[in-house]
Amino acid sequence: MDVALPWLAPGDPFPTPESAWGLDTPAPGLLAAGGTLDTETLCCAYAQGSFPWFSDGQPILWWAPDPRMVLQVNQFKLHPSLRKTLKKFHKSPECSVTVDKAFSRVIRTCATQSRKGQNGTWIVPSMVEAYEQLHALGVAHSVETWVDDKLIGGLYFVALGKAVFGESMFAHVTDASKIALAALVCIAKAQGVPWIDCQQNTRHLASLGAAEIPRKAFVADIQALSSEPDPQWFFESVYWSQLLPR
């Protein structure tokens, strides 16, 4: 099937999310190609429910899938094994969670982490540089998990007001990335953030409580949440009480 795809010159406005390729096309959710990864363009993309995702050697590709995979923080599934791990982590003085302490290390480790069923990475050098610039502006953030001052896991995300868009995570130790996600859920609950965007449906995300919602509802939520005051992005040990009642 031949389907037209808009090509963006630097500074061009994005097509509306509704114009993204549908389920009967070769790449459902594909919105446009081209443009740039400067901070203004990236913020405009996220504000309308779009994100970049492409491999090395490809042009910049922009996506706005329908439906959208979203983790409502109140629906986060804390399975018994993870609950046990979190309790142990919380009680251990050698273990800690930080926010924005090692953003570049987190995104660069995510970029090099080998993943089952994937050949290569979509976090190409231009993406790393772009999100480091977003981090410098206070728009992109990281959550890190540590044991004995060693970085064992983490994730990074984009935040516009209280609209939070998860990007990628890594783990050097079993469950280390899940601990980082659980910490982000706790921060979100404490700061009044209702959901974390997960972009696309995977079995792993579904097992943690993420579910699909219509793109139209997702975009409407962004418009409302992005105008709210920015949350305070930090983690305190007391936040674990959001998931581990005393």
Side-chain angles (χ1 to χ4, degrees):
M1 176 185 295
D2 292 329
V3 185
L5 182 67
W7 181 268
L8 303 178
D12 281 353
F14 281 93
T16 62
E18 295 78 14
S19 66
W21 287 8
L23 295 176
D24 59 343
T25 65
L30 183 58
L31 179 68
T36 63
L37 291 175
D38 62 274
T39 54
E40 182 178 359
T41 299
L42 283 168
C43 288
C44 287
Y46 280 96
Q48 71 147 38
S50 308
F51 60 89
W53 183 37
F54 60 99
S55 299
D56 199 21
Q58 292 181 325
I60 301 171
L61 300 176
W62 302 93
W63 301 78
D66 186 20
R68 190 72 165 234
M69 194 71 166
V70 171
L71 174 61
Q72 306 287 344
V73 296
N74 288 330
Q75 299 299 316
F76 179 66
K77 292 182 180 179
L78 187 59
H79 296 288
S81 60
L82 182 57
R83 182 183 297 274
K84 182 177 180 180
T85 299
L86 278 182
K87 287 182 176 180
K88 182 178 180 181
F89 187 92
H90 174 37
K91 292 179 180 179
S92 174
E94 294 82 19
C95 300
S96 62
V97 170
T98 58
V99 176
D100 290 337
K101 182 177 180 178
F103 181 89
S104 289
R105 287 179 64 185
V106 169
I107 189 172
R108 291 172 184 270
T109 305
C110 287
T112 57
Q113 180 95 345
S114 60
R115 303 177 193 275
K116 185 177 180 180
Q118 293 186 14
N119 183 17
T121 179
W122 58 270
I123 311 175
V124 297
S126 59
M127 291 277 277
V128 172
E129 181 180 351
Y131 283 80
E132 287 179 334
Q133 292 174 356
L134 281 182
H135 174 64
L137 290 177
V139 177
H141 304 274
S142 58
V143 177
E144 304 93 14
T145 53
W146 308 81
V147 174
D148 290 327
D149 295 324
K150 294 181 180 179
L151 183 64
I152 62 167
L155 58 81
Y156 72 99
F157 61 96
V158 170
L160 301 177
K162 290 185 178 178
V164 174
F165 308 86
E167 287 297 318
S168 188
M169 59 178 63
F170 79 92
H172 290 323
V173 176
T174 300
D175 286 341
S177 59
K178 292 181 182 178
I179 293 172
L181 178 59
L184 179 56
V185 167
C186 288
I187 298 170
K189 287 187 172 187
Q191 298 287 339
V193 172
W195 50 249
I196 300 165
D197 172 41
C198 301
Q199 297 180 346
Q200 300 193 54
N201 194 339
T202 68
R203 182 180 300 177
H204 173 65
L205 291 170
S207 73
L208 295 173
E212 293 179 335
I213 65 172
R215 180 176 56 208
K216 184 176 181 180
F218 177 72
V219 172
D221 275 356
I222 294 173
Q223 292 173 349
L225 293 170
S226 62
S227 64
E228 295 193 18
D230 293 339
Q232 298 297 307
W233 293 114
F234 64 90
F235 185 84
E236 295 183 345
S237 183
V238 68
Y239 281 1
W240 286 128
S241 64
Q242 299 286 341
L243 291 177
L244 302 172
R246 297 177 181 176

